[in-house]
Amino acid sequence: MKWNLRMVAAQRDIWRPTQLQTVLAEVGFTPSLSKVAALWSGKPVTVRLEDLDKICAALDCTVADLMQAEPEPHLASREREERRVAGTRPDRGSAVRPIPGTGRGLRGLPPN
């Protein structure tokens, strides 16, 4: 996720964490200056939903304005990989043959 707090704040002429703290106080949200600075300076690891709601109320924005989905690099490379049929060998391209069963039968049910 991309954290866009500074961009949303800049669109409302808020340029410093202290200014943001003042705007947050107007909606009844009084975090410490260190918490506001942490939200301001980078992408937070966690944000409480209640806090997110108050930030949106103070900045007159939506959650979609504050956060933007970004695909992870490892997920994008997975989509580019060649799709192959299950059971095929990547080196030969032929299907893997099943091994015949040993004739044990079905498993019993687990104990109660």
Side-chain angles (χ1 to χ4, degrees):
M1 296 298 280
K2 183 176 180 184
W3 181 241
N4 292 322
L5 176 66
R6 289 178 80 162
M7 178 63 75
V8 173
Q11 292 170 346
R12 284 137 184 94
D13 203 32
I14 299 170
W15 302 101
R16 295 199 168 117
T18 53
Q19 293 173 313
L20 179 60
Q21 188 179 29
T22 303
V23 171
L24 292 173
E26 291 173 6
V27 295
F29 183 40
T30 55
S32 66
L33 185 56
S34 63
K35 183 173 182 175
V36 174
L39 291 171
W40 184 267
S41 65
K43 182 168 73 170
V45 176
T46 60
V47 178
R48 292 179 41 199
L49 293 177
E50 184 178 317
D51 295 349
L52 190 60
D53 192 35
K54 291 176 182 178
I55 293 168
C56 289
L59 296 175
D60 191 31
C61 66
T62 65
V63 174
D65 295 331
L66 289 176
M67 293 189 287
Q68 180 181 6
E70 289 183 322
E72 294 291 325
H74 68 277
L75 296 177
S77 66
R78 186 183 305 166
E79 291 175 0
R80 286 184 264 139
E81 288 180 4
E82 180 181 325
R83 296 181 186 252
R84 60 177 196 257
V85 177
T88 59
R89 293 183 180 170
D91 57 341
R92 297 185 196 153
S94 62
V96 177
R97 296 181 182 248
I99 300 172
T102 58
R104 286 189 214 154
L106 299 175
R107 288 188 194 177
L109 294 174
N112 288 344

